[in-house]
Amino acid sequence: MNSKIVFTPGPTYVKENVRLARAESTTNPDLDLDFYDFYRESCNNLSDIMNTKNQVRILSGEGILGLEAACASLTEDEDRVLVIDNGLFGEGFADFVKMYGGEPVFFKGNRDEDINIANLKAFLEKDNNFKYATVVHCDTPSGVLNDISKICPLLKSYGILTVVDTVAAMIAVELKVDSWQIDIALGGSQKALSAPAGLTFLSISEDAFKAMENRKKPISSYYCNLLIWKNYYENKWFPYTMPISDIMGLRVAIDNVLEEGVEEVIVRHTIIAEATRLAIEEAGLKLHIKKGYSNTVTVFDVPQNVDCEELLSYIKEKHNLLLASSFGYLKNKVIRLGHMGENAKASKVLFVLNVLQDGLLHFGVELKCNLSQIFFEKVKK
Ligand SMILES: *Cc1c(COP(=O)(O)O)cnc(C)c1O
């Protein structure tokens, strides 16, 4: 497997200090009490990034584990769960709700814009008998970013618990778990944090723990049971042996973010994303959604008469660059530029835009201007 330049919306580029930390010698994470402190500090550093005093846990499993664990831990038979859906990850939550015996009720937004708060308000005025609600921060297949700062306080005003998938947004985009009243906020290692895939982390509020403790029936899962994690530190007990090398790498990735500065990282993503969108539009390409752009991924329509798979494979063969289309209803209709984490750097985006321009030209698409030039002029400012 030769190494390629990866510019997909996760997994992202993994920096050398993260890779090296994963090669360091290790201890027995179950028995060595020092590891409990290391783990707790790592969780605390994540809570600083997430702006929360809530408990944070790092679980052994890719991002999807967090989504399933939240639903497994909160859902009881016949619970009504509000599934806020304006994208494929949003819609997918319904499957987890059903799997654990709940009844998903959809609030459907438009797929080409962020959730309309006034519409959600009107919906909730008529029906608000939900145990919890699920919503995606950045729905990566279309690149839409929902305004969690408005959605979650609105839900909580009806006593609805809030579960937010911020796997593809957090770190790159502002996230204030406490002031936005998010009961469970989920993240993954391989997106803007730029660690390898394999870990999920989440914050759990007191209200969420209470809902788990007050269940009539115990949680029907072990690996997805968030309640058994509650007092791991006091009890010096993990539900399973922690993947210590993964967590050592993750810790360095977390500290990379803290060292650069949480605010600075967000500003960097904003500058890169705005310049990328400007270049795409000035060149005559079409951004896929109308509004609610996420600063982690830019999604544009494949120009007419261009075969998406052929274009992506040309780019991979000729330039060793891996770009992604999307899936579901967007498969081979759009191309996604994943400028998140370590990939949100001007030099990388310049290379990607140059390659994209060459690829499009090869398939007969003449752009109105030079993508990388427009990008560069904008980031320079
Ligand atoms: C990447 C991602 C996940 C994790 O899912 P995978 O498809 O397995 O990578 C979950 N939610 C969102 C919004 C994501 O972008």
Side-chain angles (χ1 to χ4, degrees):
M1 208 170 49
N2 68 330
S3 74
K4 297 176 187 72
I5 301 155
V6 175
F7 213 75
T8 54
T12 45
Y13 175 76
V14 180
K15 214 172 156 175
E16 188 178 36
N17 66 354
V18 175
R19 282 180 270 136
L20 289 175
R22 291 160 54 87
E24 276 174 29
S25 69
T26 51
T27 180
N28 180 326
D30 286 323
L31 300 181
D32 189 339
L33 296 187
D34 288 345
F35 181 76
Y36 288 83
D37 287 310
F38 179 81
Y39 179 92
R40 187 168 70 162
E41 272 167 26
S42 307
C43 292
N44 288 345
N45 290 357
L46 278 171
S47 14
D48 289 345
I49 294 177
M50 295 163 84
N51 291 295
T52 184
K53 296 203 168 54
N54 287 342
Q55 301 271 328
V56 168
R57 297 290 180 271
I58 301 163
L59 314 182
S60 174
E62 189 271 342
I64 293 292
L65 171 66
L67 280 63
E68 180 168 353
C71 295
S73 300
L74 291 176
T75 316
E76 288 194 82
D77 290 346
E78 270 116 66
D79 274 344
R80 295 181 82 234
V81 178
L82 182 63
V83 175
I84 297 177
D85 162 19
N86 61 332
L88 290 165
F89 279 100
E91 182 181 28
F93 263 113
D95 295 335
F96 291 126
V97 171
K98 271 187 266 178
M99 216 174 278
Y100 290 93
E103 182 202 332
V105 177
F106 281 106
F107 171 80
K108 296 234 177 223
N110 291 333
R111 290 245 152 143
D112 55 3
E113 60 182 45
D114 52 334
I115 289 293
N116 182 304
I117 307 296
N119 290 353
L120 178 63
K121 224 178 222 167
F123 177 96
L124 287 167
E125 274 165 20
K126 291 200 205 99
D127 188 4
N128 51 53
N129 177 27
F130 302 106
K131 180 172 193 180
Y132 70 97
T134 62
V135 59
V136 178
H137 198 180
C138 165
D139 213 310
T140 338
S142 69
V144 72
L145 186 83
N146 288 315
D147 188 351
I148 302 301
S149 76
K150 299 222 169 65
I151 294 171
C152 288
L154 175 61
L155 293 163
K156 284 293 268 188
S157 73
Y158 288 99
I160 303 167
L161 294 169
T162 57
V163 172
V164 177
D165 169 356
T166 178
V167 173
M170 67 174 298
I171 292 154
V173 172
E174 188 178 54
L175 174 67
K176 298 202 177 319
V177 166
D178 288 357
S179 56
W180 298 355
Q181 298 177 264
I182 306 174
D183 289 297
I184 299 185
L186 314 156
S189 52
Q190 81 274 33
K191 303 287 167 87
L193 194 51
S194 291
L199 296 174
T200 190
F201 37 89
L202 36 81
S203 65
I204 310 164
S205 72
E206 270 313 306
D207 283 354
F209 272 127
K210 248 183 257 159
M212 294 175 217
E213 282 162 345
N214 293 337
R215 291 172 60 106
K216 291 185 215 81
K217 247 173 59 182
I219 296 166
S220 353
S221 175
Y222 184 77
Y223 231 74
C224 288
N225 183 334
L226 296 178
L227 191 56
I228 50 174
W229 284 88
K230 193 172 180 200
N231 299 314
Y232 80 96
Y233 186 78
E234 294 74 11
N235 299 338
K236 298 291 179 287
W237 177 83
F238 287 115
Y240 43 84
T241 302
M242 289 290 97
I244 181 167
S245 299
D246 292 350
I247 295 176
M248 284 163 73
L250 187 84
R251 173 60 176 272
V252 173
I254 295 167
D255 291 347
N256 284 343
V257 170
L258 290 172
E259 206 163 289
E260 183 178 349
V262 175
E263 275 309 309
E264 285 74 7
V265 171
I266 292 171
V267 169
R268 171 162 60 82
H269 281 85
T270 310
I271 293 170
I272 293 290
E274 283 175 355
T276 305
R277 291 194 291 264
L278 181 76
I280 291 290
E281 287 201 291
E282 297 262 307
L285 294 166
K286 189 179 161 293
L287 293 174
H288 182 70
I289 58 172
K290 283 205 264 298
K291 62 191 204 61
Y293 301 107
S294 172
N295 288 338
T296 49
V297 53
T298 293
V299 184
F300 63 93
D301 290 345
V302 175
Q304 275 187 344
N305 305 323
V306 174
D307 182 302
C308 183
E309 282 176 329
E310 280 180 18
L311 172 62
L312 294 182
S313 104
Y314 169 85
I315 284 174
K316 191 173 79 186
E317 297 309 319
K318 177 153 183 224
H319 298 283
N320 200 34
L321 172 66
L322 192 64
L323 291 182
S325 177
S326 194
F327 42 91
Y329 69 101
L330 293 172
K331 184 165 188 227
N332 293 332
K333 300 231 160 38
V334 297
I335 289 173
R336 299 185 293 163
L337 305 178
H339 40 71
M340 56 173 83
E342 289 297 323
N343 285 350
K345 301 268 166 83
S347 58
K348 291 206 174 146
V349 183
L350 281 170
F351 165 75
V352 169
L353 293 178
N354 275 326
V355 167
L356 183 64
Q357 186 126 13
D358 171 67
L360 286 168
L361 191 62
H362 180 81
F363 288 93
V365 181
E366 286 196 43
L367 298 178
K368 283 195 208 151
C369 58
N370 188 294
L371 284 168
S372 56
Q373 193 183 339
I374 302 286
F375 173 86
F376 190 57
E377 277 163 17
K378 175 84 177 161
V379 289
K380 259 193 329 200
K381 282 186 196 151

